[in-house]
Amino acid sequence: MTAWTRRRLLTTAATALPAAGLATTAAPLARAAATTRPGDVDITDALRALPGLRLVEERHDAEPGYRHFVLGLRQPVDHTNPAAGTFEQRLTLLHTAADRPTVLFSTGYHAVLTPRRTEPAVLLDANQLQVEHRYFGTSRPADPGYTHLTVRQAADDHHRVVRLFRRLYPGAWISTGGSKGGMTSVYHRRFHPYDVNGTLVYSAPNNVDDHDDSAYLRFLETVGTPAAREALKAAQRAILLRRTELVARYEAWAAATGDTFRLVGSADKALEIAVLRVPFMFWQRGTPADIAAIPGPGATADELYTWLDDTTGLALYADTTARNYIPYWYQIGTQLGYGSLPTAHLSDLLRHPGAAEPRSFVPRDVPLDFDRAAMPDIDRWVRRRGSRLLFVNGTQDPAVAEHFHPGGPDSRLLWVPGGNHGADLADLSPADRASAEDMLARWAS
């Protein structure tokens, strides 16, 4: 079984438990599991002894030395108001031994059920506990409108997870995540800075001022070579110039697969959104080989359609997939913010003003009231007070055109030259990689 890397991955009820309940004395079996090897106390018994936790299944697909569990934890819908009810949050656990470090892994979206370990889990020979983000996957409160989908509520979810599982894993904890998962890890640390011993963050955007997107636009105007940027612009125009033909093909695909465009509004608008997102998504994942594959003059409609699909993922804007990501766009439209996309070279071909904004992906009856204080608060904490934070970014990744600037104790920002949104520790220069691995080892000691 190979180790997880973000490059490969990027593409019934339990009894309600009040927050104070996590502070109770651990059950004897759970206490024993925290100080013994798994052969002495069975991990399944230890998990079943944790209050509010449901063992959904053990999946027999983990690599040697690990066991893979899917779990459900009863969480408050609103951590400030017990009367708001509870929901079950999905977790996964890769268990090796109670006396090893534990990696807290966030995707920021739904849980990934393949049993691959993150880089820090591999480097530290650690247990790995994954937390599915609230409102994603099966971790969905029943309340309509995503009222309690905030960075603070999600941070409090993670806090309760750590407090509970420290009964089984009393050693060092390292949190990690990439992209939105990395953002989630930072937000958790902002509100609960002492839950873990350190945090490794990959490719995490930091849109501090949603009114000012100049950093994103400057990045997309300078990344790569002038020839590559012009080729992308020409391909965008070529697609929109053949809009009627390509929209018809898009609609035929949807009809054949039983999909629709009710959320976005139409296949025509969905295609326009995909075209607008081309430069951002191209450079986010692009390689030199991808530059050579940009359609040139004379490209057929089939070639343009296939390239657009490969670059931006046309299924993302049709209902089957788009409805799964309503929580993402809600967060973007209420707290996280969203970067602008260059449009001047397409202005004569656009039909849907503001098509690529979050509002296109959130039902109209769900309010989007933006909280302009949320991200500046996070940014100030990272710059001034956040400790043991390690950020790893790629220099060719538009997502980190606005990035975190760690300024607290024992914190660093490292860059992968030419790296994209899938940059890993393994891609760093030998010196930076050694430094990063030394930081992890020190935090986990």
Side-chain angles (χ1 to χ4, degrees):
M1 179 89 49
T2 56
W4 173 91
T5 66
R6 293 179 312 103
R7 182 179 297 104
R8 289 193 290 270
L9 211 50
L10 282 172
T11 352
T12 289
T15 301
L17 180 71
L22 290 184
T24 59
T25 302
L29 186 58
R31 281 202 307 271
T35 57
T36 59
R37 302 289 294 187
D40 299 322
V41 175
D42 189 80
I43 183 62
T44 58
D45 293 332
L47 291 169
R48 289 190 176 105
L50 293 178
L53 188 72
R54 182 170 70 94
L55 200 164
V56 178
E57 64 171 326
E58 179 172 2
R59 299 168 68 94
H60 301 285
D61 54 1
E63 61 192 297
Y66 280 82
R67 296 175 68 180
H68 184 200
F69 298 92
V70 179
L71 310 167
L73 177 62
R74 187 58 50 180
Q75 290 274 30
V77 172
D78 181 354
H79 288 272
T80 68
N81 178 20
T86 64
F87 72 101
E88 186 175 81
Q89 186 166 40
R90 182 163 59 178
L91 316 174
T92 69
L93 172 66
L94 289 173
H95 168 87
T96 184
D99 59 0
R100 297 302 306 157
T102 300
V103 169
L104 182 69
F105 168 44
S106 300
T107 68
Y109 300 96
H110 57 273
V112 178
L113 299 183
T114 52
R116 285 181 174 157
R117 291 183 290 160
T118 58
E119 274 192 320
V122 171
L123 291 169
L124 300 173
D125 189 25
N127 306 290
Q128 180 170 292
L129 183 63
Q130 178 185 196
V131 181
E132 183 168 77
H133 202 289
R134 59 168 47 211
Y135 289 87
F136 289 87
T138 64
S139 304
R140 294 179 177 266
D143 67 307
Y146 308 95
T147 304
H148 298 105
L149 179 52
T150 66
V151 295
R152 180 58 191 266
Q153 294 285 355
D156 290 350
D157 290 341
H158 285 67
H159 178 57
R160 293 184 78 251
V161 168
V162 173
R163 290 177 64 196
L164 180 65
F165 278 84
R166 275 196 180 277
R167 304 179 185 195
L168 301 186
Y169 304 111
W173 282 62
I174 304 295
S175 60
T176 193
S179 192
K180 188 171 180 291
M183 297 158 71
T184 300
S185 297
V186 173
Y187 306 155
H188 170 211
R189 287 291 306 280
R190 159 62 183 94
F191 296 108
H192 302 284
Y194 306 112
D195 272 1
V196 299
N197 300 76
T199 301
L200 171 56
V201 181
Y202 301 90
S203 305
N206 180 33
N207 194 340
V208 181
D209 182 358
D210 195 50
H211 270 156
D212 181 6
D213 292 329
S214 57
Y216 295 100
L217 294 174
R218 283 195 305 271
F219 186 96
L220 293 172
E221 290 168 357
T222 57
V223 64
T225 65
R229 295 194 298 272
E230 289 305 313
L232 284 176
K233 290 179 180 179
Q236 287 177 284
R237 286 193 61 85
I239 292 167
L240 290 180
L241 285 168
R242 304 180 76 160
R243 179 195 293 261
T244 300
E245 184 178 0
L246 296 183
V247 167
R249 177 166 175 172
Y250 201 4
E251 290 173 331
W253 164 82
T257 57
D259 221 328
T260 54
F261 298 95
R262 294 188 182 94
L263 181 60
V264 169
S266 69
D268 188 81
K269 184 177 178 181
L271 184 87
E272 185 165 299
I273 294 170
V275 171
L276 288 170
R277 298 188 76 200
V278 158
F280 190 95
M281 297 188 75
F282 178 87
W283 292 112
Q284 191 174 59
R285 299 181 296 176
T287 66
D290 295 317
I291 294 173
I294 299 171
T300 66
D302 283 349
E303 289 168 340
L304 290 169
Y305 185 92
T306 299
W307 178 80
L308 180 64
D309 192 17
D310 290 342
T311 303
T312 64
L314 290 173
L316 290 173
Y317 315 109
D319 289 335
T320 298
T321 301
R323 291 193 181 282
N324 291 331
Y325 288 92
I326 291 173
Y328 163 74
W329 291 104
Y330 178 86
Q331 287 190 278
I332 292 292
T334 56
Q335 287 189 315
L336 307 188
Y338 191 59
S340 295
L341 300 167
T343 61
H345 62 293
L346 303 173
S347 59
D348 59 318
L349 300 174
L350 300 178
R351 297 177 180 173
H352 305 279
E357 293 298 317
R359 180 79 271 174
S360 292
F361 300 96
V362 178
R364 295 287 172 175
D365 60 346
V366 177
L368 288 181
D369 299 318
F370 196 78
D371 176 4
R372 300 199 179 280
M375 293 303 102
D377 171 74
I378 303 292
D379 182 69
R380 283 191 299 270
W381 180 83
V382 171
R383 288 175 184 266
R384 300 175 185 177
R385 298 174 58 193
S387 64
R388 293 191 172 188
L389 298 167
L390 174 58
F391 294 87
V392 177
N393 296 332
T395 61
Q396 199 163 282
D397 179 12
V400 291
E402 286 191 59
H403 56 270
F404 287 99
H405 295 266
D410 201 9
S411 297
R412 287 194 70 184
L413 167 61
L414 298 175
W415 290 92
V416 174
N420 60 19
H421 204 55
D424 291 307
L425 296 187
D427 301 317
L428 291 166
S429 69
D432 282 346
R433 180 178 180 179
S435 175
E437 293 179 359
D438 286 347
M439 289 179 77
L440 283 176
R442 184 174 69 253
W443 295 345
S445 63

